[in-house]
Amino acid sequence: MNKIAISTLVESVLIVLVIPFVLAHFTRFLLRRRESVLKKKIIPFFANAQIFFLSLAIMSMFASQGSYLIENLEVIYILIIPILMFFFD
């Protein structure tokens, strides 16, 4: 089994979790005086686009690891039920 370097794990957590969280709070801070724009335009857009961006992220992850998945088909058997539940829910 391959081991993941701790630096790679920390970098991934920063990119996927911390940076978007900080940017969201920064956006709210910048638009605190223009609350109507925030509530009428920005929040509804991202509420509706959320499933699209999540689907895009999951498809990108699988596309980037396509060769690994082809070489290790047992991984697909493990993941098939959660994948189907995500896309057909």
Side-chain angles (χ1 to χ4, degrees):
M1 180 170 241
N2 296 335
K3 294 187 178 185
I4 299 172
I6 192 72
S7 61
T8 304
L9 183 62
V10 169
E11 179 185 357
S12 298
V13 168
L14 279 172
I15 291 171
V16 173
L17 296 175
V18 176
I19 292 174
F21 184 74
V22 169
L23 289 174
H25 281 286
F26 184 66
T27 302
R28 253 187 207 267
F29 176 76
L30 288 177
L31 295 174
R32 69 186 182 279
R33 300 201 194 284
R34 298 180 61 186
E35 197 167 324
S36 63
V37 172
L38 185 66
K39 287 188 177 180
K40 290 182 181 176
K41 292 188 178 182
I42 295 176
I43 291 176
F45 169 75
F46 283 106
N48 294 331
Q50 186 174 359
I51 192 71
F52 171 75
F53 289 126
L54 186 57
S55 297
L56 184 64
I58 289 175
M59 288 189 303
S60 299
M61 286 187 283
F62 279 98
S64 71
Q65 297 299 318
S67 61
Y68 175 80
L69 290 173
I70 297 299
E71 293 171 4
N72 302 301
L73 289 176
E74 65 274 1
V75 173
I76 294 176
Y77 299 137
I78 295 169
L79 295 175
I80 194 72
I81 292 173
I83 293 169
L84 290 175
M85 288 174 61
F86 172 78
F87 283 107
F88 294 112
D89 187 27

